[in-house]
Amino acid sequence: MEQPGYPASADPAFNLTGGPAGATAATLAALGRPILHHLDPAFGALYQRTVQLLQQAFGTRESPVILPGEAVVGLEAAAASLIGPEDVVLNLVSGIYGRGYGAWARRYAREVVEVEVPYDSSVPATSVADAMRARPDITVVSVVHCETPTGTVSDLDAISAVVAEHGALLIVDAVSSFGGIRCDFTAWQAGLVVTAPQKCLGGTPGLSLLHVSEAAWAHMTANPAAPRGSALSILDWRDAHLAGRPFPFTPPVTDVYGLHACLEQYLSEGADAVLRRHRAAARAARAGAEALGLTLWARDPLVRSDTVTAVRMPDGIDEREVRSRARKDSGVMLSGGQGDLARIVLQIGHMGTGAYPLGPVIAVTAISRALRSLGARADIGAGVEAAVAALDA
Ligand SMILES: *Cc1c(COP(=O)(O)O)cnc(C)c1O
């Protein structure tokens, strides 16, 4: 008999993916506001206020940059703007996003060297130090904080210390970590950090949010190849919030409304409370997935992300089938493996709106139901019990 399902035409009841994750109610309400002209003083004031809130959230001395374009635009812009024809880049690869960054770096650098590790681990700071000793001419290091498809994190505290000691600049992809995992841009002495609203902040995909350190601005200004008059130009958007500065081009007005709303929410909840919420959801997702009978992708607990959990499928089960059944029968949208990990690995996102207590419980239930309908074993009761116990721990 056909199970009562969830209509394919409907919104998923639960977006528990590796992002874009769902937007908060406050963000959604803000998106419905009338469209102001970008030169309307009311928009100017809102934009300026949004930059101030972002700076507060980043906890930095420098004004952040809001670059129009989904996070990948900000990441490519960082490579185009910061990496010049004289630069030697050390690209750290512990997953698919890191591998992709190498392609951008090669487009602009004199040379790119890479340290690559298996995608269930992350590059140790000692390997970074070794690589930099071997190549004292390295000027820029690029690293992904959280590799979303595999749910692994790099130790930015240790890596940034090595990079700073060497006097190089750091490009950090913090798209799926900022707002879910502690990020200390100042202590990291990071050159340039790229994040976005649509993962941990409960905002929309459409903007890149950049912290650019003083050293990174200096390097970028001195880079003769840094783009100007281009969608990839970070220099064009520097201080765009200041009164009397024309925008290089029209900012996506509605996305700015959404960003303003989700930052207000983030700041009023408080960074520490937000991190605790992500940590609790992560604990629940891991405990629930293991108790229902799945294996976590990353064996080392120290590299497991608090924003997304990657799980291995049982032998003979294709994660695409599990996801499609979870969506169809339970109204739960999950995300899956990419590249070599397609069919094998499934992600439970617990970021932003997914990082609420029962998010992982719902994911565990939907996955169990899907596994059973595919003829695999899944202990739903044990999964739910373990997830709830982890929340209450
Ligand atoms: C989501 C994400 C991005 C942005 O990429 P999209 O594929 O455009 O969503 C970049 N880096 C990481 C680590 C991400 O999780």
Side-chain angles (χ1 to χ4, degrees), residues 18-20 70-72 75 97 144 146-148 173 175-176 198-199:
E70 213 266 344
V72 287
L75 290 164
Y97 282 103
V144 177
C146 170
E147 274 287 355
T148 321
D173 173 345
V175 176
S176 65
Q198 79 273 20
K199 300 281 170 96

Side-chain angles (χ1 to χ4, degrees), residues 67-71 197-198 204-208 252 255:
L67 193 71
E70 213 266 344
Q198 79 273 20
T204 61
L207 297 172
S208 296
D255 285 318

Side-chain angles (χ1 to χ4, degrees), residues 5 30-31 36 53 60 84 104 144 147 151 207 248 267-268 272 284 293 302 327 362 367 383:
L31 299 179
L36 290 169
L53 294 176
T60 51
W104 280 328
V144 177
E147 274 287 355
L207 297 172
L267 291 167
S268 80
D272 287 342
L302 289 177
R327 174 67 177 81
I362 289 162
I367 292 168

Side-chain angles (χ1 to χ4, degrees), residues 10-172:
D11 295 334
F14 300 99
N15 177 345
L16 300 172
T17 65
T24 63
T27 304
L28 293 175
L31 299 179
R33 291 175 51 176
I35 306 300
L36 290 169
H37 188 269
H38 63 294
L39 300 180
D40 187 313
F43 182 73
L46 180 85
Y47 192 88
Q48 189 161 27
R49 177 80 188 126
T50 305
V51 170
Q52 285 164 356
L53 294 176
L54 186 58
Q55 182 175 354
Q56 224 174 303
F58 279 1
T60 51
R61 253 183 327 146
E62 299 84 2
S63 287
V65 173
I66 300 173
L67 193 71
E70 213 266 344
V72 287
V73 176
L75 290 164
E76 187 178 356
S81 300
L82 197 74
I83 302 171
E86 300 299 320
D87 285 310
V88 176
V89 176
L90 171 62
N91 183 46
L92 307 182
V93 183
S94 55
I96 287 160
Y97 282 103
R99 187 199 286 168
Y101 212 80
W104 280 328
R106 274 186 285 278
R107 200 179 293 160
Y108 304 103
R110 174 154 68 82
E111 191 186 339
V112 176
V113 285
E114 288 191 328
V115 175
E116 182 162 7
V117 294
Y119 292 0
D120 56 355
S121 62
S122 67
V123 179
T126 48
S127 304
V128 179
D130 290 345
M132 299 191 88
R133 245 189 317 271
R135 290 294 305 265
D137 55 346
I138 288 168
T139 49
V140 177
V141 177
S142 48
V143 59
V144 177
H145 191 193
C146 170
E147 274 287 355
T148 321
T150 35
T152 56
V153 286
S154 289
D155 182 354
L156 258 297
D157 290 334
I159 290 171
S160 67
V162 169
V163 174
E165 193 185 316
H166 191 89
L169 291 170
L170 193 60
I171 297 177
V172 182

